[in-house]
Amino acid sequence: NAGVTQTPKFQVLKTGQSMTLQCAQDMNHNSMYWYRQDPGMGLRLIYYSASEGTTDKGEVPNGYNVSRLNKREFSLRLESAAPSQTSVYFCASSKRTGEVLGEKLFFGSGTQLSVL
Amino acid sequence: KQEVTQIPAALSVPEGENLVLNCSFTDSAIYNLQWFRQDPGKGLTSLLLIQSSQREQTSGRLNASLDKSSGRSTLYIAASQPGDSATYLCAVNTGGFKTIFGAGTRLFVKA
């Protein structure tokens, strides 16, 4: 009963390096999300995927790309990491079918990323 | 632009005390409001979800209320325990796939 699984849990990058954060859910959810959490701020939406095959920008998409590989997996890529991208990244999923709203978000345990 | 505020940022109470956490939002046009719990180094766990048409939801020792007209929600925790120590976040869904989070209230329950 894993829920939402994120890898890696910790990562240190040098400025300019690239990396991909992986996320997978086993709840057969349609929608998946990437958030970042910074000290003293609420979580902010980076990108989301309403359903398999679609992705859309959230509040803070600059410097990131995403891929909805299949219904289970949603990855976040940093092409050229910057110190401003030091943050904790969370993947989440929700059932979301059609126009149904009001469903719970289920979160992974997060990736702590430091960019030096 | 919807903004979500949680005050206080941190709270320390003795074990057994009943307590209330506050959440306010600037735009009453919301679809639902969720309360989450976050333990250090962990992800968020949804505690309660209140639809915009509802006034409150209860789960065990937790009760969440919603007053859309005033832009406020409260999370009531009865008979607090040290295991309740965590950060509590509220979040409002404003339609579509956009959920706006508050920065959270860090709760410490002293044994």
Side-chain angles (χ1 to χ4, degrees):
Chain A
N1 197 12
V4 180
T5 303
Q6 288 183 237
T7 56
K9 293 190 181 299
F10 302 94
Q11 184 71 48
V12 178
L13 295 177
K14 295 181 180 179
T15 297
Q17 288 185 318
S18 62
M19 78 161 295
T20 300
L21 281 65
Q22 306 287 353
C23 175
Q25 53 87 12
D26 62 2
M27 297 174 282
N28 200 34
H29 284 173
N30 290 301
S31 302
M32 299 184 73
Y33 313 79
W34 278 105
Y35 288 90
R36 61 177 287 173
Q37 184 178 38
D38 299 294
M41 301 180 69
L43 278 74
R44 291 181 293 169
L45 182 63
I46 304 171
Y47 271 93
Y48 66 96
S49 171
S51 60
E52 185 179 356
T54 68
T55 60
D56 284 286
K57 295 178 180 179
E59 181 184 357
V60 287
N62 291 343
Y64 305 95
N65 286 301
V66 292
S67 295
R68 183 74 182 266
L69 305 171
N70 48 55
K71 190 171 186 178
R72 291 187 63 247
E73 298 174 288
F74 188 39
S75 62
L76 178 72
R77 183 163 178 81
L78 286 71
E79 290 290 353
S80 179
S84 61
Q85 294 178 304
T86 293
S87 188
V88 181
Y89 291 84
F90 288 100
C91 177
S93 70
S94 66
K95 189 175 182 180
R96 291 287 174 91
T97 54
E99 293 299 315
V100 175
L101 295 172
E103 294 176 338
K104 290 184 178 181
L105 288 170
F106 293 82
F107 282 82
S109 58
T111 295
Q112 191 165 322
L113 174 67
S114 294
V115 183
L116 306 178
Chain B
K1 179 185 176 183
Q2 177 74 266
E3 293 182 359
V4 179
T5 304
Q6 292 184 251
I7 295 174
L11 180 64
S12 180
V13 301
E15 181 178 7
E17 188 165 300
N18 301 325
L19 61 99
V20 173
L21 305 181
N22 297 297
C23 172
S24 61
F25 46 95
T26 54
D27 187 344
S28 62
I30 66 170
Y31 283 84
N32 66 63
L33 183 145
Q34 290 191 59
W35 281 94
F36 293 88
R37 170 184 172 136
Q38 184 176 24
D39 293 285
K42 301 286 182 63
L44 282 69
T45 300
S46 182
L47 298 172
L48 291 164
L49 183 148
I50 310 176
Q51 304 286 3
S52 61
S53 58
Q54 298 174 323
R55 295 300 298 267
E56 65 178 348
Q57 282 285 332
T58 298
S59 176
R61 295 183 293 109
L62 305 180
N63 176 275
S65 68
L66 174 64
D67 184 342
K68 274 180 52 178
S69 61
S70 67
R72 294 187 179 187
S73 176
T74 61
L75 179 66
Y76 174 83
I77 303 177
S80 59
Q81 304 170 357
D84 295 329
S85 298
T87 297
Y88 291 82
L89 299 95
C90 71
V92 298
N93 181 276
T94 58
F97 296 86
K98 305 291 175 65
T99 298
I100 310 300
F101 285 81
T105 294
R106 185 178 297 178
L107 173 66
F108 180 64
V109 181
K110 298 172 287 186

